[in-house]
Amino acid sequence: MRIHIIGGGITGLFLAYRELKKGNQVTLYEESTRLGGIISTKQVPEGIVETAANGFLCTDALKALCSDIGIQLIPANSHSRRRYFWRDKKVKRVPLTFFEILRLFYGIFFKKLKIKSTGNFWEWSKDQFGFFASKFIIEPAIGGIYGSRLFQLDPKVVFPYWDFNGNTTVLQNLKLKKSKSLGTHSFCLGMGSFIDSMGQYLQNHIEIQYETKVKSMEELHSRTLDGDIYLAIPVQKVINFLDKDMTKNFNIDMISLTSITRFSKERITKKPCFGILFPEGEGINALGVLSNSDIFPNRVDKSINRNNETSSETWIYQNYKNPVGSEESWKEIIERDRKIVNPKSTDPLAIYITTWNAPFPVYNSELESLNQFLDGLEQKSNSTHQKIRFFGNYRRNLGIRSIFESTLI
């Protein structure tokens, strides 16, 4: 059987690997000159800079894939289990009072899941977990994953497989996880080395066509391709691709993100940690900061600052429906934020800025409407000689682990 995969990002690579293992003939079409999409690693004088994800939640299936393509995983350092939240202008491991914790536990273990509001995650979260847990734990934690603030999200879209009909608790739904996590992992030379290894492995077994743009369904059909078609391209390109097949106009909100990797003479916190999550309205512009050199080894070149410990951290900023700032303005913003968190902060050794224009959709009801439409197209194609499937971070899956598991179905 022949499979045509449009898009050579991380989703397309996972799909190509799966279909290869199933014994199918695979052709992968990538419009640029490289694979991996937004995921890559830059080697800089101070160490390495990840352009997107710095690691992922590993599973047995992902571990087996890495072993098969010949790349060694490295687990997160043990002290990275220490994670911080920001409250009252202080870094705290537990940002709640005793009674606020009790209210949170009630929302997790006892209160039945039910949405009373109109799909606003913030309103639902306050009702489910209480105001303070929502503001100081749920908001920064979800924001760190989805790159959004709670008011932008719909809980039914964020958790599409949960039962919100008042029959189950949060704990019962959390137990429905498909696979056991082995913890956060990455690679010695960064995530880019994983993309390189995947590309080299696949290059020896499948056909990869670089600099090949397929802009529409009509153009795809004009190629008279024999076999099923998997679209692994960003959601906005999917909408343009299906332009003449659309029964309505979908207005999908997109998020632009800026990640700023800062090399410093000292770490942001006194003790090694995974990072800090920041709630909205607490004086910090960032969604969060990752302590790269605390999480994984080999993230800094120790020769740069021989007399002291060199630290690498990545600050994440959201630019929701706003123009991207200049490099100088970003430097001013990160230095201001860092001074608030650590008043003894010294000048950076180096700063590297990466901005992605609209790489992720906002997980709201409009996105779910689009997904239901795409579900219908997939079902319709089942009765034809050529099945069409849609994959990506907009298809009810976000994060490397979730995207990988979606390709296994």
Side-chain angles (χ1 to χ4, degrees):
M1 182 176 177
R2 178 165 287 280
I3 304 294
H4 301 275
I5 301 172
I6 315 299
I10 187 70
T11 305
L13 295 179
F14 283 149
L15 285 169
Y17 178 84
R18 179 196 73 174
E19 294 303 322
L20 173 65
K21 291 302 175 182
K22 289 168 68 174
N24 292 325
Q25 292 180 297
V26 179
T27 302
L28 179 65
Y29 304 86
E30 168 55 39
E31 68 176 21
S32 72
T33 58
R34 60 170 293 274
L35 301 172
I38 66 173
I39 298 177
S40 66
T41 303
K42 297 177 181 177
Q43 297 290 334
V44 298
E46 297 77 17
I48 66 174
V49 173
E50 302 284 15
T51 61
N54 74 339
F56 58 95
L57 288 175
C58 191
T59 62
D60 286 330
L62 276 167
K63 185 178 180 181
L65 181 153
C66 292
S67 176
D68 190 32
I69 67 174
I71 187 168
Q72 185 174 358
L73 285 160
I74 58 170
N77 295 323
S78 59
H79 49 239
S80 69
R81 295 192 186 99
R82 187 181 293 114
R83 302 175 187 229
Y84 290 113
F85 296 86
W86 181 254
R87 182 176 182 178
D88 300 329
K89 297 182 180 181
K90 294 180 181 179
V91 170
K92 301 181 179 183
R93 292 195 70 179
V94 181
L96 302 178
T97 66
F98 174 75
F99 290 106
E100 291 165 1
I101 292 173
L102 288 181
R103 177 64 180 86
L104 172 62
F105 282 0
Y106 168 72
I108 295 174
F109 294 99
F110 302 104
K111 186 175 175 63
K112 300 295 184 180
L113 273 173
K114 196 167 185 180
I115 296 180
K116 298 179 181 178
S117 61
T118 58
N120 184 309
F121 200 121
W122 170 247
E123 295 299 328
W124 168 75
S125 182
K126 285 192 299 180
D127 179 69
Q128 185 72 30
F129 306 108
F131 174 85
F132 294 101
S134 297
K135 180 174 179 61
F136 296 110
I137 291 184
I138 307 299
E139 160 109 285
I142 294 297
I145 297 171
Y146 290 86
S148 306
R149 293 304 186 184
L150 291 193
F151 74 87
Q152 298 170 279
L153 302 172
D154 184 327
K156 286 187 176 180
V157 183
V158 173
F159 303 117
Y161 307 110
W162 283 18
D163 177 7
F164 285 93
N165 295 317
N167 301 315
T168 59
T169 64
V170 171
L171 181 63
Q172 288 172 317
N173 283 277
L174 287 173
K175 289 181 177 180
L176 298 177
K177 283 186 177 180
K178 299 176 184 177
S179 59
K180 180 181 178 181
S181 171
L182 303 178
T184 303
H185 285 65
S186 187
F187 307 92
C188 185
L189 298 179
M191 292 296 294
S193 64
F194 172 67
I195 299 297
D196 293 341
S197 294
M198 280 286 284
Q200 292 167 9
Y201 180 87
L202 292 172
Q203 189 80 53
N204 295 327
H205 298 88
I206 70 171
E207 179 185 358
I208 302 178
Q209 295 186 15
Y210 293 96
E211 297 183 90
T212 303
K213 292 185 179 181
V214 184
K215 297 181 180 179
S216 67
M217 186 67 79
E218 285 184 337
E219 181 182 341
L220 194 61
H221 288 319
S222 70
R223 292 171 178 259
T224 62
L225 300 178
D226 179 28
D228 293 345
I229 297 170
Y230 295 164
L231 291 178
I233 55 180
V235 62
Q236 292 289 11
K237 290 185 179 180
V238 169
I239 292 174
N240 294 334
F241 188 90
L242 297 172
D243 183 33
K244 293 188 177 180
D245 295 283
M246 288 293 188
T247 57
K248 63 166 284 190
N249 292 323
F250 291 97
N251 183 23
I252 304 300
D253 289 329
M254 302 298 293
I255 300 167
S256 292
L257 294 176
T258 293
S259 68
I260 305 177
T261 298
R262 185 188 197 272
F263 292 91
S264 315
K265 296 177 183 178
E266 76 290 320
R267 64 167 54 92
I268 184 70
T269 54
K270 292 181 180 179
K271 295 181 179 180
C273 68
F274 193 92
I276 310 169
L277 292 171
F278 304 108
E280 187 177 21
E282 290 297 303
I284 303 293
N285 291 286
L287 292 170
V289 56
L290 295 169
S291 300
N292 303 317
S293 49
D294 288 343
I295 302 172
F296 298 113
N298 306 316
R299 268 29 188 182
V300 296
D301 184 345
K302 297 181 180 179
S303 66
I304 297 295
N305 187 30
R306 293 182 183 276
N307 297 326
N308 295 286
E309 183 176 1
T310 303
S311 174
S312 167
E313 63 205 33
T314 296
W315 295 70
I316 310 297
Y317 293 88
Q318 182 204 52
N319 312 305
Y320 180 68
K321 289 187 175 179
N322 287 322
V324 176
S326 68
E327 182 173 329
E328 286 305 313
S329 65
W330 279 124
K331 288 181 179 179
E332 292 172 2
I333 289 172
I334 185 178
E335 291 308 300
R336 175 190 169 277
D337 281 353
R338 199 177 196 276
K339 253 327 186 192
I340 294 174
V341 178
N342 183 355
K344 296 181 180 180
S345 177
T346 58
D347 292 339
L349 297 171
I351 288 178
Y352 296 92
I353 301 171
T354 303
T355 294
W356 293 105
N357 185 25
F360 304 114
V362 176
Y363 270 54
N364 56 23
S365 57
E366 184 72 1
L367 182 66
E368 179 56 24
S369 295
L370 173 63
N371 273 314
Q372 290 175 7
F373 174 77
L374 297 179
D375 291 343
L377 289 183
E378 289 185 346
Q379 292 173 5
K380 185 178 179 180
S381 74
N382 289 339
S383 59
T384 68
H385 71 283
Q386 191 173 61
K387 293 180 181 178
I388 297 177
R389 296 290 182 265
F390 302 89
F391 296 88
N393 61 23
Y394 62 94
R395 290 290 280 161
R396 307 182 181 100
N397 301 285
L398 189 63
I400 291 175
R401 170 191 174 181
S402 294
I403 289 174
F404 174 70
E405 291 179 344
S406 74
T407 67
L408 300 178
I409 299 174

